[in-house]
Amino acid sequence: MLAALVDVAGITLALVMLGLLEGVIYGLFALGLTLIFGVAKILNLAHGDLGILGAYAAFWFLVLYGTDPLLSLLLVLPLLSLMGIAIQKFAINVAIRDPRFQITASVMITYGLALFISSLETIVWGPDYRSIGLSYSYVGFSFYGMTFSLPRLITLLVTIATAVFFLVFLRTKLGKAIRACAQDREAAQLLGINFERLATVSFCMSVAASGLAGVLYVMSHTLYPAVGLQLTIKGLTVMVLGGIGSVEGAFVGGILLGIIEAVASFAIGNAYRELMSFLILVLVLLIRPRGLFGKLQ
Amino acid sequence: MKTRVIVSYVIALLLTALLPILLPGYVSYVIVVLMYVVMSLGWNVMGGYLGDISFGHAAFFGIGAYTVALLVNSGVSYFAPLNLLLGGAVAMAVGAVVGYPFLRLHGFYLAIGSLALLGIFYSVFKDILASFTRGASGLMVPAIKPYSVLPYYYSILVIALATVLFVEFIVRSRLGMAFAAIRDDPEAARAVGINITPYRVLGFSLSAFIVGLAGAFFAYYNNYVDPSGAFSLVVSFEMLVMVYFGGVGTVAGPVVGSIAVFAAEEAGRIVLQRGYLLVLAIMLLTVFVFMPGGVVGVLTGKTPIVNPFPERRRKEMKHDST
Amino acid sequence: MILLEGRRLTKRFGGLVALDNMDFDLSEGEILGLVGPNGSGKTTLFNVITGVYPPNSGWIRYRGEDITGLSADRVCKRGIARTFQIVRPFYSMNVLQNLAVAGTFGVPGRRKMKEIEEDSLDILKFVGLRDKGDSPVSSLTLAGRRRLELARALATVPKVLLLDEVAAGLNVEETEAFIDQIRKVRERGLSIIVVEHVMKLVMTISDRIMVLDHGKKIADGPPERVANEPQVIEAYLGVQEVA
């Protein structure tokens, strides 16, 4: 009897941990999405694909030069940020000129971008699945039949560090300006805040966060062009679940989703993972659209 | 209506009807274009007239397709015209049922919700109903005898024509007035006596019917229905691109857009093979960065917003000065 | 005869109390002016009456029937129309069509399109926009759009009209024209509540004035008397000259 209880507790703990490890990556993806949507009301459907682009870069750095993905971040993140600035200036700002089409335009442009990037990746590198094999990929431990590899644990640490960074950052002067823009664009502008510049900064940070998430993701998952959009949709789900504009929400939501998926996968089968996240999204939208930590929209 | 316009429509109709004789090589292309036309017109009822953007409309396409596939495979009905209508009807019913709770959402939330809906249907048909739908393996839909392309061609032609007429009819009716008012300003529409939700659900259901009809046809023409082909996000976005690239107008826009998207996809398949969706991406980017009014907008010099009072009505309403 | 009345109306938004246990009534054929500093609850009262959102407590009766919490479209069909502070025309339609929509859906039952058109043209003539019937909304000046807003409300054949700051941003002549216009609307048999910041308009035209401050009614009576009440002057201290 006692042994059974210990087993149940053990499995539960394992599932929670698994969900946690998976969920923090979702949270990191959601972070970038919620940042740019909160500030500039732009829904960036290319978010995941930009991150996966970074992942491909890290992949090739590893294959060609043997660089550890974490190290290649030093190059990948700035490059992605520059891309972010270019996208912001040439595509998005042009699109939101006509207020009638604003939401549609930003969504369509970012979707077009997502399609563009993933198609390009398919053309250049092929649609096949790829794995990153690191010297420490298989170092780790097993617990109740579920494996916890070192890359995943590193991911957890890096994500926690990022979360802390953002929470601290949002209390700095620049961070407060960004929060002001997210709350009330006109009021912020009246206070002398340059909205366009802050939007660009936010977008860069968003893209960088995505790049980080992408590289971390690929250290413990397979890489292929179509996964970009899937991750974007996951990020969207977490963003809605956690509440738009909330950093805490992104991570709490991500972890929550990760755990629910892990439990569902264990209980009903792996095929139902996706279904779970969609159902949660729908439920949140219908019952409490502002999510866990969001303000009323 | 001007005589010139009527005559040109009749001529176009005659040419299209005689296409199998005049240019038999192009028949299969035109079939696909016509199917696209139906899809995009259906989407436009929701996205263009009512102004509610949905990214998950492929769900209705898939429902229509699977309805046909299931009817045929289970032996319930082999009568094609009935099956097609049933495909549309089931899609419409689902639209109404799902619409009621969903259409309390607006804008961004509705868009994301519709995405989730598409994903849910995909999973449902792939995994939950796998015993009926054979999951990812898909269902076959045998070709209609006689084994020629003509019945397919003429049936989609009839469907497309009916859709065009139906859509034009809606636009000129009081329903169209309500849709336009809701699209322009929901708050103001309420203030002048329009109860928004029933109209949105109705628009959603009609839109679902039309797209479901296209999906039902697809099942017959493609002879095969599987979850990733039927509930494809790309199909959803194709509808969007067709409408916006062509111009969010009543009919001309989606028609032009359908032709354009079809041509671009064919070209893309030949040139790029693997990443051919790249052309869709470029089209999307082009529209929204350079020409939000679409092709029709560029040609007519103004943004074609769907207007509930097309030329004729406007003339009737013109007054003589006293 | 009291046409529209409300008692103990309260409306809260989170911690903010926009309407605080207030009463009001409107008699048939009356023009009631509604004034008060910014944020005193004027537009909230309009929104509660016309069904944009229900009050937290209290009731509203129109012609004896309880309409508290009815949705906006139902309230409109019953015969209460309103204009918006920031004009909200239907931009994809022209002027006449804006009225046609209102005439089609704002009136209970099904009217013939011909009748709706004639009625709309009539109203356009009444507000002085007859020759602008086919013009797109975007071609109208601010004064023109205000008149369109009024015309569209009239097209729903109301008995009560709620005007929300129709004169804001208008020059002296345009304001005079509006004062005239509102009088003519009353002559057609409507009862009107006018919310205004432009004192001249509201003092000239109202039979009675109600003053709100922080959601409470602090004065109610003929214009000259209300203007001199100490609470009113205090509420408006330094904001506007009451003359």
Side-chain angles (χ1 to χ4, degrees), chain B residues 233-288:
Chain B
L233 190 61
V234 174
V235 169
S236 256
F237 273 93
E238 277 175 341
M239 291 187 228
L240 267 144
V241 177
M242 288 182 236
V243 169
Y244 281 106
F245 189 80
V248 186
T250 52
V251 172
V255 171
V256 169
S258 302
I259 299 175
V261 166
F262 174 75
E265 283 181 344
E266 285 300 301
R269 254 184 271 257
I270 297 174
V271 173
L272 294 169
Q273 282 144 0
R274 280 189 307 200
Y276 77 96
L277 291 173
L278 189 63
V279 289
L280 263 188
I282 296 178
M283 286 175 82
L284 254 181
L285 291 167
T286 319
V287 172
F288 280 93

Side-chain angles (χ1 to χ4, degrees), chain B residues 23 30 43 50 55 195 215 268 306:
Chain B
L23 296 164
V30 178
W43 189 90
L50 265 170
F55 293 125
N195 186 2
V306 178

Side-chain angles (χ1 to χ4, degrees), chain A residues 190-202:
Chain A
L190 283 172
L191 287 172
I193 297 179
N194 184 339
F195 182 79
E196 275 76 32
R197 210 158 49 90
L198 271 168
T200 311
V201 168
S202 308

Side-chain angles (χ1 to χ4, degrees), chain B residues 8-300:
Chain B
S8 46
Y9 277 154
V10 171
I11 294 181
L13 198 57
L14 271 169
L15 284 174
T16 330
L18 294 173
L19 189 77
I21 306 174
L22 298 170
L23 296 164
Y26 287 91
V27 170
S28 51
Y29 295 144
V30 178
I31 291 180
V32 178
V33 170
L34 287 173
M35 187 176 73
Y36 280 2
V37 166
V38 175
M39 271 165 55
S40 51
L41 283 175
W43 189 90
N44 202 24
V45 169
M46 196 63 193
Y49 298 10
L50 265 170
D52 282 322
I53 313 285
S54 154
F55 293 125
H57 254 59
F60 299 119
F61 186 79
I63 292 175
Y66 264 100
T67 305
V68 164
L70 287 168
L71 283 170
V72 167
N73 272 274
S74 60
V76 170
S77 163
Y78 294 115
F79 188 50
L82 177 66
N83 288 350
L84 286 171
L85 282 174
L86 280 175
V90 171
M92 176 162 156
V94 173
V97 166
V98 162
Y100 231 94
F102 253 90
L103 290 172
R104 291 180 296 132
L105 301 169
H106 288 266
F108 158 76
Y109 292 104
L110 181 63
I112 297 214
S114 65
L115 256 180
L117 212 59
L118 180 60
I120 291 178
F121 275 105
Y122 173 76
S123 285
V124 164
F125 276 85
K126 178 159 158 268
D127 301 308
I128 299 185
L129 296 177
S131 43
F132 297 106
T133 63
R134 303 204 328 162
S137 325
L139 292 168
M140 298 291 286
V141 178
I144 316 177
K145 308 198 222 315
Y147 298 118
S148 107
V149 82
L150 285 180
Y152 293 103
Y153 181 72
Y154 285 110
S155 44
I156 191 64
L157 186 56
V158 166
I159 293 175
L161 221 60
T163 308
V164 168
L165 290 171
F166 182 58
V167 156
E168 283 286 350
F169 172 71
I170 294 179
V171 166
R172 284 156 214 270
S173 69
R174 287 175 202 232
L175 192 61
M177 285 167 75
F179 283 173
I182 295 174
R183 178 198 63 227
D184 282 349
D185 194 328
E187 218 39 64
R190 280 206 192 93
V192 294
I194 299 176
N195 186 2
I196 298 200
T197 310
Y199 282 106
R200 293 176 81 201
V201 174
L202 183 58
F204 195 58
S205 309
L206 289 174
S207 168
F209 178 79
I210 298 174
V211 175
L213 206 55
F217 175 80
F218 171 78
Y220 272 116
Y221 187 61
N222 200 42
N223 299 123
Y224 173 65
V225 177
D226 76 320
S228 41
F231 295 104
S232 156
L233 190 61
V234 174
V235 169
S236 256
F237 273 93
E238 277 175 341
M239 291 187 228
L240 267 144
V241 177
M242 288 182 236
V243 169
Y244 281 106
F245 189 80
V248 186
T250 52
V251 172
V255 171
V256 169
S258 302
I259 299 175
V261 166
F262 174 75
E265 283 181 344
E266 285 300 301
R269 254 184 271 257
I270 297 174
V271 173
L272 294 169
Q273 282 144 0
R274 280 189 307 200
Y276 77 96
L277 291 173
L278 189 63
V279 289
L280 263 188
I282 296 178
M283 286 175 82
L284 254 181
L285 291 167
T286 319
V287 172
F288 280 93
V289 175
F290 298 112
M291 44 178 218
V295 170
V296 175
V298 167
L299 289 177
T300 62

